[in-house]
């Protein structure tokens, strides 16, 4: 069977990127699919060239290809949530969440919560949960990291709204903060785990 | 795929069945195998296949291996042990469904 050159592959990849397929993991698979279809066409039509085969393929299939890219969001979200759930029950997240609750439970939490330094340290944690996936995503545009940062933003924003509009009792306040530490740790660990996994998988990109 | 919900509902079963008979397959290979086995009657589009594959992967029924082939990366899918069990379950379910329908519709399919 006819094999496409590296230049042909890069052409397909660039075309898909310019057509809005931003995520690397999705684009890699699409590129392979398009390339395989073109290779088959070229092996069956000896007089055809790459560009005419590519054009013929895209005229027939571009709409379906791009529809495919959009429809993958649900399975990506499911994977993200599964990974965060796994990381939530790993030692670092549990230790930090429970540890936070135990340590601060013995202090005057209400007074502490009003302390600017305390609020600043929490802000850093929230920003960490949001920006760590984004930092990884800037180097490796994997769909999971993008979705993970969105979930981090939503969770922390909802917490911020809750704190702003509701005045819980000290006990509930401590539990809410502990829960947030726990969840944000899970998100940050998931970002590291997913980034390392995909970096290894796509090391040849 | 042909515009029929009969086919749409069985895409996952088709994918699981094919992977149970092959060590590993990639997306394009699956579409071509289905086309070959159905003599061109059933054509699975990318828009249907890849979301199904990724959903099965997210559910833990498939695992993925990425290999460099012909100047690009290719994602191969294979069944996990959970996927193997689910394949048997899905096929039994489909067989039961067909038997139930047969009782009602009394069709005379030609499986020759």
């Amino acid at each position: 069977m006819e094999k496409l050159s590296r230049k042909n592959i890069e052409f397909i990849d660039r075309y898909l990127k310019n057509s809005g397929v931003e995520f690397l993991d999705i684009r890699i698979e699409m590129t392979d699919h398009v390339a395989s279809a073109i290779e088959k066409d070229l092996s069956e039509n000896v007089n055809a060239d790459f560009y005419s085969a590519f054009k013929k393929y895209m005229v027939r299939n571009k709409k379906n290809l791009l529809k495919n890219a959009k429809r993958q969001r649900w399975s990506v979200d499911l994977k993200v949530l599964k990974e965060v759930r796994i990381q939530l029950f790993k030692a670092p997240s549990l230790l930090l969440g429970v540890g936070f609750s135990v340590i601060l439970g013995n202090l005057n939490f209400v007074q502490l919560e009003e302390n600017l330094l305390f609020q600043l340290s929490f802000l850093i944690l929230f920003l960490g949960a949001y920006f760590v996936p984004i930092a990884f995503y800037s180097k490796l545009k994997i769909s999971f990291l993008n979705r993970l940062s969105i979930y981090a933003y939503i969770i922390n924003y909802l917490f911020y709204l809750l704190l702003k509009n509701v005045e819980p009792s000290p006990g509930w306040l401590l539990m809410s903060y502990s829960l947030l530490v726990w969840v944000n740790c899970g998100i940050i660990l998931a970002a590291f785990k997913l980034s390392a996994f995909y970096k290894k998988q796509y090391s040849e990109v | 795929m042909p515009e029929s919900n009969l086919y749409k509902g069985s895409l996952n079963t088709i994918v699981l069945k094919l992977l149970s008979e092959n060590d590993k397959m990639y997306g394009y290979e699956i579409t071509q195998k289905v086309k070959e086995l159905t003599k061109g009657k059933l054509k699975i589009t990318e828009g249907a296949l890849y979301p199904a594959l990724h959903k099965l992967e997210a559910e833990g029924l498939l695992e993925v291996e990425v290999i460099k082939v012909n100047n690009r990366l290719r994602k191969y899918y294979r069944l996990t042990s959970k996927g193997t069990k689910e394949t048997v379950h899905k096929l039994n379910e489909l067989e039961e469904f067909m038997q139930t329908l047969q009782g009602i519709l009394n069709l005379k399919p030609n499986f020759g």
Side-chain angles (χ1 to χ4, degrees), chain A residues 73-89:
Chain A
R73 189 164 291 170
W74 163 240
S75 59
V76 170
D77 283 350
L78 189 62
K79 270 180 141 174
V80 162
L81 292 173
K82 264 184 146 179
E83 186 60 43
V84 171
R85 191 191 66 190
I86 290 168
Q87 295 304 326
L88 281 176
F89 293 97

Side-chain angles (χ1 to χ4, degrees), chain A residues 95-108:
Chain A
L95 280 171
L96 278 166
V98 173
F100 177 85
S101 174
V102 165
I103 291 167
L104 293 183
N106 291 310
L107 303 172
N108 186 343

Side-chain angles (χ1 to χ4, degrees), chain B residues 38-52:
Chain B
T38 61
K39 294 181 176 59
K41 274 188 195 168
L42 187 54
K43 289 174 193 170
I44 304 179
T45 62
E46 303 86 345
L49 176 67
Y50 288 104

Side-chain angles (χ1 to χ4, degrees), chain A residues 116-133:
Chain A
L116 187 64
L117 204 64
F118 178 85
Q119 290 178 8
L120 207 64
S121 56
F122 253 88
L123 181 64
I124 291 168
L125 174 68
F126 300 159
L127 291 174
Y130 177 62
F131 282 111
V132 163

Side-chain angles (χ1 to χ4, degrees), chain A residues 3-4 6 9 29 32-33 35-37 39-40 57 64 68 71-72 75 78-79 82 201 204-205, chain B residues 26 28 32 45-47 50-51 54-55 57-60 64 66 68 70-75 77:
Chain A
K3 282 184 197 175
L4 296 185
R6 195 175 171 84
I9 302 299
E29 199 163 28
D32 179 47
H33 189 101
S36 300
E39 280 172 346
K40 184 168 184 279
Y57 180 86
N64 253 319
N68 159 40
R71 283 169 85 182
Q72 300 205 26
S75 59
L78 189 62
K79 270 180 141 174
K82 264 184 146 179
Q201 246 195 9
E204 300 200 49
V205 172
Chain B
Y26 57 101
Y28 185 74
Q32 295 305 293
T45 62
E46 303 86 345
Y50 288 104
H54 296 148
K55 187 166 179 286
E57 189 199 344
E59 288 170 356
V64 161
V66 179
K68 190 164 186 181
N70 297 348
N71 294 314
R72 63 209 188 242
L73 291 180
R74 174 169 288 164
K75 221 169 156 183
Y77 295 88

Side-chain angles (χ1 to χ4, degrees), chain A residues 105-155:
Chain A
N106 291 310
L107 303 172
N108 186 343
F109 184 69
V110 175
Q111 201 178 19
L112 185 65
E113 199 250 342
E114 288 167 5
N115 183 287
L116 187 64
L117 204 64
F118 178 85
Q119 290 178 8
L120 207 64
S121 56
F122 253 88
L123 181 64
I124 291 168
L125 174 68
F126 300 159
L127 291 174
Y130 177 62
F131 282 111
V132 163
I134 286 183
F136 284 129
Y137 180 72
S138 65
K139 290 185 178 174
L140 196 65
K141 295 208 183 305
I142 299 296
S143 52
F144 304 102
L145 293 169
N146 175 273
R147 299 304 291 167
L148 188 60
S149 69
I150 290 169
Y151 278 110
Y153 175 81
I154 290 170
I155 288 165

Side-chain angles (χ1 to χ4, degrees), chain B residues 88-99:
Chain B
V88 172
H89 173 250
K90 283 272 188 206
L91 288 172
N92 289 339
E93 205 176 57
L94 193 56
E95 198 176 328
E96 202 181 309
F97 171 72
M98 284 164 68
Q99 281 171 0

